[in-house]
Amino acid sequence: TVGEALQEVLIWLRAGDRVNTPLNSSISNSRISILPSTNITVTANGKTISILSSAQSVGEALAEAGVPLIGLDYSLPAENEPLPADGQIRLVRVTESIQLAQQPIPFESEIQASADVPLDQTQILQPGELGLTVQRIRIRYEDGQEKSRLTEDETLVRPPKTRLMGYGTKIEVKTATVD
């Protein structure tokens, strides 16, 4: 078999090595090729995993280590790159959340003449009301740490209502009695 032939010529395989033909198959005139494994250290989620891998790319090595890229995750070096010479791969877990935030809108004040308000006095004719907007904010986390916030949308829920102040123009005639 292929395995016996390799043993006979003192070629020992490690767990992560790849052989192009099954070890229990009979020897034919075909060529036997061995892709030796290398020590790979994967850092992910604050933990370090060491494996022997003969993967051709970082993505394959991560899958062999049992920590594949999911969703927005990325690796350093990138998943489609060959294994790094130093054997170090860092996996960055990325999550996003959506947050809704209410923001008040201040109201404005206007002053106008009012014949119903006594001269040299002011009075609130219409109280002002705060307006309200709601923002949708996308928050990005890398390895549990907030990395960015992006306001995606802002909706006016209630417009502000202007406060009207009246200043008096009404002349009141008063009589005074003197003793």
Side-chain angles (χ1 to χ4, degrees):
T1 65
V2 171
E4 290 170 337
L6 292 174
Q7 185 177 12
E8 193 173 304
V9 293
L10 302 176
I11 296 177
W12 302 103
L13 300 176
R14 297 191 301 180
D17 294 347
R18 288 189 195 173
V19 181
N20 68 336
T21 48
L23 295 177
N24 60 356
S25 63
S26 61
I27 296 179
S28 62
N29 288 338
S30 64
R31 189 177 181 123
I32 299 171
S33 61
I34 300 171
L35 184 60
S37 60
T38 57
N39 289 319
I40 302 294
T41 302
V42 178
T43 305
N45 302 325
K47 298 176 183 173
T48 301
I49 302 167
S50 294
I51 64 165
L52 287 173
S53 176
S54 57
Q56 296 297 300
S57 69
V58 169
E60 287 178 34
L62 290 171
E64 285 180 14
V67 287
L69 295 172
I70 301 169
L72 299 171
D73 296 348
Y74 66 92
S75 62
L76 300 169
E79 73 175 307
N80 56 351
E81 291 184 25
L83 295 178
D86 65 359
Q88 301 293 315
I89 299 173
R90 179 169 173 249
L91 173 65
V92 179
R93 293 289 187 202
V94 178
T95 57
E96 288 185 337
S97 67
I98 301 293
Q99 182 181 54
L100 296 178
Q102 296 181 1
Q103 296 291 326
I105 303 171
F107 58 84
E108 295 180 359
S109 293
E110 290 183 10
I111 298 176
Q112 65 185 31
S114 174
D116 296 329
V117 179
L119 190 64
D120 292 334
Q121 293 184 17
T122 58
Q123 184 178 357
I124 297 175
L125 302 176
Q126 173 184 305
E129 290 183 17
L130 292 174
L132 182 66
T133 62
V134 174
Q135 297 175 329
R136 185 176 63 216
I137 303 167
R138 181 176 300 271
I139 305 169
R140 180 182 175 100
Y141 299 91
E142 293 183 4
D143 288 335
Q145 301 294 318
E146 183 177 325
K147 289 296 179 183
S148 66
R149 283 180 177 248
L150 174 66
T151 300
E152 293 184 330
D153 185 40
E154 188 168 338
T155 304
L156 178 65
V157 176
R158 182 181 64 236
K161 189 173 179 183
T162 303
R163 175 173 62 186
L164 292 178
M165 299 289 292
Y167 63 88
T169 59
K170 179 179 176 183
I171 299 174
E172 294 180 344
V173 177
K174 295 186 180 184
T175 56
T177 55
V178 178
D179 288 331

